[in-house]
Amino acid sequence: MSDTTPYEAFSMVDMRAGRIARVELNTEARKPAYKIWIDFGDLGELSTSGQYTALYEAEELVGQMVIGAVNLGSRRIAGFKSEVLMLGVEQANGAVVFLKPERDVALGTKVF
């Protein structure tokens, strides 16, 4: 049994605000997905693959502020290196809505 409290467990995930810099279709993915590069300011640009194609055109995502978990390690998703988990919520039909700050904040700002 872990002595970690729920708040401590939540605090272990480093969530930051970033801005989408570039988006391309991930043609290797089994389900339609984008390759996304996010600028996190001093943390640099990190990449991810996300299933946002049902609700968003690639051009519409570029420039948007997003929230990403930046300390979960990297993994390969459909042949693409994913270094950050861009947070979103799934609708009943399976489409994913990305989470973003209510207004612009400095890139790399920590979520608490």
Side-chain angles (χ1 to χ4, degrees), residues 75-90:
R75 55 188 271 204
R76 294 206 76 73
I77 298 176
F80 184 68
K81 184 177 181 182
S82 180
E83 306 164 298
V84 61
L85 176 63
M86 189 168 126
L87 301 180
V89 293
E90 187 175 31

Side-chain angles (χ1 to χ4, degrees), residues 1-110:
M1 181 176 235
S2 173
D3 290 334
T4 305
T5 68
Y7 182 79
E8 289 169 331
F10 173 79
S11 297
M12 289 180 199
V13 180
D14 187 4
M15 293 177 283
R16 304 286 180 128
R19 185 175 306 281
I20 296 176
R22 185 167 46 124
V23 178
E24 298 175 6
L25 191 61
N26 188 345
T27 58
E28 302 294 317
R30 282 181 270 147
K31 294 181 180 179
Y34 290 128
K35 297 177 186 178
I36 302 171
W37 291 265
I38 305 169
D39 181 359
F40 286 98
D42 289 345
L43 295 175
E45 192 172 274
L46 302 175
S47 58
T48 189
S49 182
Q51 297 177 354
Y52 297 96
T53 58
L55 296 178
Y56 306 101
E57 297 295 325
E59 309 80 42
E60 154 183 32
L61 288 171
V62 174
Q64 294 288 321
M65 294 289 303
V66 296
I67 301 297
V70 298
N71 68 334
L72 301 178
S74 65
R75 55 188 271 204
R76 294 206 76 73
I77 298 176
F80 184 68
K81 184 177 181 182
S82 180
E83 306 164 298
V84 61
L85 176 63
M86 189 168 126
L87 301 180
V89 293
E90 187 175 31
Q91 294 181 321
N93 64 0
V96 179
V97 177
F98 71 89
L99 298 183
K100 64 181 184 174
E102 177 263 331
R103 57 186 74 180
D104 281 358
V105 297
L107 299 179
T109 299
K110 188 169 178 58

